[in-house]
Amino acid sequence: MTERTSRRARTVAHSVSQPNQTEHGLPELWLSWRHQMAALAARGFRALAPDLRGYGDSSAPTDPAAYTVLHLVGDAVALLDHLAAALAQVFVVGHDWGAQVAWHLCLLRPDRVRAVVGLGVPYFPRAPRPMAELFAARGDGFYITQFQEPGRAEKAFACYDVATVLKKFYSIELDDLAAPPGVEIIDFFQESSSPLPWMTDEELGQYAEKFQKSGFTGPLNYYRMMDTNWMLTAPWHDAKITVPAKFIVGEKDIGMESFGTKHYIESGGFKSNVPDLEVAIIEGHHFLQQEQAERVNAEILSFLDKFTEN
C-alpha cells in the first residue's frame, strides 16, 4: 500500500530477522491478523498488516476501476518500498482476497517474495473465459453475481446494522453460496444465534466501527473488477507460481466444495500450477487465522523456519 492509500499499516516487531506482510479478506481488517502478528513478532519477524484498499483506515475510492489486481499488487509493492524493504525479499501471508493479492504479487513480482502462505483461497490460473461467463450458470442468486451490480449489495446490506452484516458473513457454513430466486444473498446468510467462539463482542465492535465509517463499496469493488482482471492478466496466461508456497485451508471451508478446492488439491492441479507447494488441511471453517489461531500460527512458523534457519 502507498502511504496515501493505506494510512494504517499495523507493525509489530522485536529484533527483526525478516519482514513479513499479511493481507486480509472480506469482510476483515488488519485486525484479523492480531494473533499471527504477535506470534511472528515473538520469533523475530517484523510483522506488517495493512488495511487493504477500500477497507478500514485506507482510502476507499468509489470507482470500481481503482480496484484491479494491478492496483492491489502495486499497493503491496509500494508499501514495501515505503518501509525501506526494497532490497529485501519478504514473506507474504494472505487470506481470501488477501490471498489473491499475495498469489498475484508472487506472479507479477516474484523478485520481492521469499515465500508465500495462502489461506482459504488457492492460486487458480487464469480461466479460459471471463469470470462472468463462468459464474452465469450459478444464477442470479450466486453471491458474486449479485455483487457485480453497483449499489445492489450495498442497498441490501443497509437493511441491517453493520455488526449484523459482519456476523452473517462470519457465521457462513454453507456449501452453496447462492440464494434462492428473488432473495438477496445477505438475507439468505444466517447470523449465528450464539456468540462467535473466536471473536469477542468487543472485537466485533471494532470491526463494525471501521466498516460503518468506510462502508462496503470498496470491498465489493474487488468482485466488480474480476472480468477486468481476467483481461489484464492475459500476458500471464498459463504462468505458474514459482515462489515457495504453503496453502492452509479448513476442512469445512465453504470454498472446499463450492469452488472445487478439494478436487483441485487432490487431483494435482494445484501442485501443477504451484510446483513448490505444501498443503495443510486442518480443522476449521473459512476465517481460519482467527478461528484456529494457534494451529495456523504453528503452520505458518514451521514453514517460514525453513527459510530462516542459520
Side-chain angles (χ1 to χ4, degrees), residues 25 33 50 106 150 215 255 268:
W33 296 109
C106 294

Side-chain angles (χ1 to χ4, degrees), residues 70-91:
L70 299 186
H71 287 89
L72 303 175
V73 171
D75 286 345
V77 172
L79 176 58
L80 298 179
D81 289 344
H82 176 71
L83 294 169
L87 299 180
Q89 289 187 316
V90 297
F91 298 114

Side-chain angles (χ1 to χ4, degrees), residues 5-130:
T5 303
S6 180
R7 297 191 300 273
R8 184 66 56 81
R10 301 289 182 174
T11 304
V12 177
H14 293 299
S15 57
V16 178
S17 61
Q18 293 279 344
N20 183 290
Q21 181 175 327
T22 56
E23 317 238 18
H24 62 78
L26 172 73
E28 298 178 282
L29 301 167
W30 74 267
L31 185 64
S32 66
W33 296 109
R34 58 197 178 279
H35 306 295
Q36 287 68 47
M37 291 183 76
L40 288 163
R43 292 284 284 271
F45 290 91
R46 183 181 187 184
L48 313 171
D51 284 333
L52 293 180
R53 178 181 292 234
Y55 287 83
D57 289 322
S58 291
S59 62
T62 57
D63 184 358
Y67 292 85
T68 73
V69 69
L70 299 186
H71 287 89
L72 303 175
V73 171
D75 286 345
V77 172
L79 176 58
L80 298 179
D81 289 344
H82 176 71
L83 294 169
L87 299 180
Q89 289 187 316
V90 297
F91 298 114
V92 181
V93 182
H95 172 252
D96 194 86
W97 266 108
Q100 292 278 49
V101 176
W103 293 125
H104 282 85
L105 176 62
C106 294
L107 183 68
L108 305 180
R109 291 298 306 273
D111 58 303
R112 302 303 299 271
V113 184
R114 181 71 182 90
V116 62
V117 179
L119 277 72
V121 177
Y123 171 69
F124 286 106
R126 183 175 180 270
R129 303 189 307 281

Side-chain angles (χ1 to χ4, degrees), residues 25-27 55 64 67 72 96-97 100 121 131-132 135 142-149 153 157 169 177 216-229 259 286:
L26 172 73
Y55 287 83
Y67 292 85
L72 303 175
D96 194 86
W97 266 108
Q100 292 278 49
V121 177
M131 303 306 292
F135 291 133
F142 189 55
Y143 79 108
I144 290 178
T145 302
Q146 292 196 5
F147 289 175
Q148 296 303 303
E149 181 183 339
F157 288 9
F169 274 97
L177 295 172
F216 290 96
T217 295
L220 291 166
N221 280 341
Y222 285 54
Y223 295 89
R224 293 164 185 161
M225 285 291 97
M226 292 177 78
D227 277 354
T228 299
N229 289 338
F259 289 97
H286 184 63

